[in-house]
Amino acid sequence: MATVTAVPGSKIRGGSFLIEERAPEEVFTPEDFSEQHLLIAQTAEEFANKEIVPNIENMEHKNFAIVRELVKKAGELGLSGVDVPEQYGGMEMDKVTSAIIADRIAKYGGFSTTWGAHTCIGTLPIVYFGTEEQKKKYLPGLASGETVGAYALSESSSGSDALNCRTQAKLSADGKHYLLNGEKMWITNAGFADLFIVFAKVSGDKFTAFIIERGFPGFSVGAEEHKMGIRGSSTCPLILNDCQVPVGNVLGEIGKGHHIAFNVLNVGRFKLGAGCVGSARNCIESAIAYAKQRKAFGKVIADFGLIREKIANMAAGIFTGEAMAYRTVGMMDAAIAQLGEQHEDMAQVRKVIDEYAVECSILKVWGSEFIDYVVDESVQIYGGYGFVEEYPAERNYRDVRVNRIFEGTNEINRLLITGFLLKRAMSGQLPLMAAIKKLMDEVLSGTSDEGEEGLLAQERKLVGTAKKIGLFAAGIATQKYMQAIQDQQEIMGAIANMTIETYAMESAVLRAQKLAAQHGEAGCAHSIAMARVYISGAMEKIESASRMVIAACAEGDMLRSQLAILRRLCKYEPFNTVALRQAIAQKVIETGKYVVA
C-alpha cells in the first residue's frame, strides 16, 4: 500500500489554515511524490494517451462498448481499484494516489466522467458502508472494471436538495424485498452500468441507500440525454416501477442514507478538483502549440503580450491548483497514517475525510471555475478555429461546464464552506471566534504583527493579510447577523470566496517556499513568479469580497470606520505582474508546456 509520511506532531484540523500558520515541511506537494507515485502517474498518463485519446471520436459518438472496454483496461492496470481494500480485489492506495490518477487520466471529459462516477460515487459507498457480504459480492468486479458502477441521487425536483427526493421504498408483504417506485435523473453511466447506488425514502421519510443490480425486476433505464458536453459519457434517467430489491441490498442503515450520500461526495470533490487541474495542464499545452504556429501581423501570436498574459495566468493557476490538491490529500493521508492499526477501519477513514470537507469543497469550486477560465481563454487563443469542432478547444469548452454542477453545485459548496466553518466555530472544534475577537481587538487598538522575515517574506505577509481581511469581514458579518447569517447567502458566498482564495494563496506560497528552500530563490524564480502572479490576483478578489460584506453589514460612520480599517489592512506594495507574466510565458512557451522549474 502506497503511503505518505505523516506530518510530525498533531493532526492538522480541517479549516485551521484560516487561523494557524503552516511551515513548508508540514504540507505535501507534488515535489514530495514517491517513486511509486511517479510510476502510477506515468501509468495513468500512458493509459490516457494510448487508450483514451485515440478513441475520443468514437466515444463522442456514444460507442459505449469502447467505453466499457477502457474501464476494464483501467481496472487491469489497477487504476479503478485504487480506493478498494486489497482483500476485495483492490489496490488500497493512499489518497495522493487517488488524486494523481484523477489528475493524469483527465485527457477527455467524457471518459473522466465515466471513470470518476464508477470508481468514486459508484464504488465507495460499498467500500465505506457495505456489509462484509456486500463487499465480497460486489467490490472485486468494481475494482477490476468487469462491473461498472453508477450513483443515483438526483431527481427532477431534487438535485441540490437531495433529501427532498420522491422515490419511495416499501417492504414487500413477505418481508423479502423492498419495492422501489420513482425516477432518478441525469445518472452518469446509466446506459451501460451494471450496479447502481440508489436513494429512496422508506416509509415515506427514512432516506435510505440501496444497491440495485441492472437485472432486478421493475428496474429500467430511459433514453440517453443529448448533452451540451461530456458526450462520450452515458447520462440517462432510471425508472423504478415496483423494483424488487432484496432486503440484503439495503446499504448502511435505514434512515441513514444521508451519511452515505454526503460522505462519498467529499472524495468526489477532491478528485474532481485534481481532474480539473489535469485538464488545465492539457489545455495549456494545446494552446501554446497553436499560439506558436499561428501568425498574425507578421509574427506568431505567442509573441503578443495579451496572449502571453493568458498563458501565464494559466500556468500560475496550474501551479496553485497542484499545490492545493496535493496539500489536501496529503493532510488526509497523514491523518489516516496516525490512525495506526485503525487505518483499515473504513468508519475511521470516513471521519478523517469528513474532517477536510471544507478543503474538499474548496478544491471542487476552485478547480471547476479555474478550468472554465482556461478553456475560455483557450478558445480565445484559437480565435475562429476555437469555435470549430475539429479543434480541441471547442470540445474542451463544452465538456468542462458541467463541473460547476457536479458533486453539488458551486453555490451549494460555497454555502457548505462557510457553514461548516461556522458550525465548527460554534461547537468549539475550531477556535475561529477567538481568532476573530483577537483580530478585532488588534485592529481597534491599532496594533499590528511584526513583519515577516526569511524566504518569500513579502509573499507570506500577504497570506497573513488575506487571513486577517477574511476574519475581519467574517467578524463584522457574524456580529450583525449572529445565527441568522445562514439566511444571508450572498454574504456566506463572499466569505467562502475569501476562504477559497486564502487557501489557494497559502498553498501556492508554501509550495514556492519549499522549492526555494531546496534550490534557492534564484533556482526557482519561475515557481516564485507563478506564486506571485496568483496571489496578486487573489488579493484583489479578497479585498473586493470584503468590501461587499462590510457594505452589506454597516452604514454611516460605522461603515466609514470599518472601511478605513480595511484600507489599512490592504496596504501593501504590489508586484510587477506584467514583468512576472512575461517571464512565466517565456518559460512555458519555450518549453511547450506547463513546467514548475
Side-chain angles (χ1 to χ4, degrees), residues 516-532:
Q518 294 170 351
H519 308 292
E521 290 195 48
C524 59
H526 178 61
S527 297
I528 293 173
M530 289 190 288
R532 285 175 175 167

Side-chain angles (χ1 to χ4, degrees), residues 513-570:
Q513 201 178 343
K514 178 181 281 192
L515 286 163
Q518 294 170 351
H519 308 292
E521 290 195 48
C524 59
H526 178 61
S527 297
I528 293 173
M530 289 190 288
R532 285 175 175 167
V533 164
Y534 188 84
I535 64 177
S536 295
M539 283 300 297
E540 293 174 5
K541 294 176 184 177
I542 290 170
E543 183 176 354
S544 176
S546 65
R547 285 181 182 278
M548 191 198 90
V549 171
I550 292 169
C553 297
E555 56 186 16
D557 289 342
M558 180 62 73
L559 173 62
R560 285 185 284 274
S561 174
Q562 290 172 347
L563 288 176
I565 293 170
L566 179 63
R567 282 193 295 272
R568 190 162 74 242
L569 289 173
C570 292

